[in-house]
Amino acid sequence: MLKGNHKKAKQKNYQGHVADILCVAASQDGKFVVTGGADKRLIVYDAKSLKPLRVFMHHRDAVTGLAFRRGTNQLYSASKDRTVKVWSLDELAYIETLFGHQDHVVDIDALAQERCVSVGARDRTARLWKVVEETQLVFRGGSIDKKQTQHVDPRSLAYEGSMDRVAMIDDELFVTGSDNGSIALWSIQKKKPLYILPQAHGLEEPLLPTEASAEEAPTPKVVPPPQPRWITALRTLPYSDLILSGSWDGHVRVWRLSEDKRKIEPAGILGHPSSSLDLVPNGRDADDSGDEGTVNGVNGTKASPWLVKGIVNDIALFERGDRGKDGLCVVVGVGKDHRLGSWKKIKGGKNGAFVFEVPRTKKSLENGTGDEDEE
């Protein structure tokens, strides 16, 4: 384990972080681990020994996201300085800078092609960067799918203020998560989202009248409508139909693409014993209504092994065995507050990680002689 030292911020030769670490990534071949921090540093380590190999200071503000191009040691970094930078770790060299975002670039993702997708927070855009062609495609958010929001209280229907998370599904599709609690499905062939899933992690608990007003005997009318929980983490299993999302409702929720790849459907909750669960408007599970206790401030939710205490700040997953033969491993990073600021604090939350093992089960074929594996 390596520890940084904020007291060495003025030492240019110090090969460690001097402020919060905001993102981490590991190369697919197991050679490199890279971290980015609020100190504007991007540090490359040898994965086996965790020895610092190079400290890059090219970014002018905090490094908020990292993504490796699959099968290579080409790295993309996102920063609050509104840029995306491209690196080659085989040569431990900086390659180029991509300009275009009008606000902090807070997340980035990439697959096998030489391109990446980033989101720009309050500029409410996702941008697909074609590195070789030196071009970019701009996808503008802020829209609401009225067909999907008929059952939602209009007072709780928040507009998208910040596009915070992004994850690529394949070379044609990607998803974004926003501060209004919605998950949007995008195609690189269209400028508008194919589908918007509103309030994916439900609504906050409504305030008591005494909490919303300083009057001695306030009326319920002073209570503002409950607001959606932000999408604070988003991850996909590349080239599949699986999507995972996180917030602070105590659950890592699992979604899947519809067969026509035009909708996002609920698949259940990670670690929950039941195979699939219907989501109810307030973000609780239908079978939790009779439980007691609180988790992350959600009353009526009993503490169970699959409940995540804290804000889900990131999700990482990888397949075990050859092509996922031995299942999936999902690592969920949680904290007492949001990774980029103290806008929300969770009582009883802990800084740490939850690890979920998703085994691969065997399903017998009805018209065959063998077994078929499925997750």
Side-chain angles (χ1 to χ4, degrees), residues 39 73 103 137 157 163 178 201 235 277 301 309 316 320:
D39 53 5
N73 288 324
D103 196 22
L137 299 178
L157 194 59
M163 193 180 290
S178 305
H201 283 260
R235 189 65 60 198
L277 293 173
T301 308
K309 296 181 180 179
R320 290 197 181 278

Side-chain angles (χ1 to χ4, degrees), residues 170 173 185 187 194-195 241 256-265:
D170 54 32
L173 299 172
L185 173 66
S187 167
L194 298 176
Y195 184 82
D241 61 351
R256 60 170 171 257
L257 283 182
S258 60
E259 291 186 3
D260 60 1
K261 294 186 176 182
R262 297 187 66 85
K263 289 184 179 181
I264 300 173
E265 302 172 342

Side-chain angles (χ1 to χ4, degrees), residues 30 63 88 136 197 246 309 332 357:
V63 181
S88 174
Q136 59 179 286
L197 177 72
K309 296 181 180 179
V332 180
E357 291 285 353

Side-chain angles (χ1 to χ4, degrees), residues 287-308:
D287 61 346
D288 279 343
S289 57
D291 293 340
E292 297 178 354
T294 61
V295 172
N296 293 355
V298 181
N299 295 324
T301 308
K302 188 177 180 180
S304 302
W306 60 86
L307 290 173
V308 178

Side-chain angles (χ1 to χ4, degrees), residues 40 126 195 239 290 360 365:
K40 311 175 190 178
Y195 184 82
Y239 305 107
R360 198 173 185 92
L365 294 175

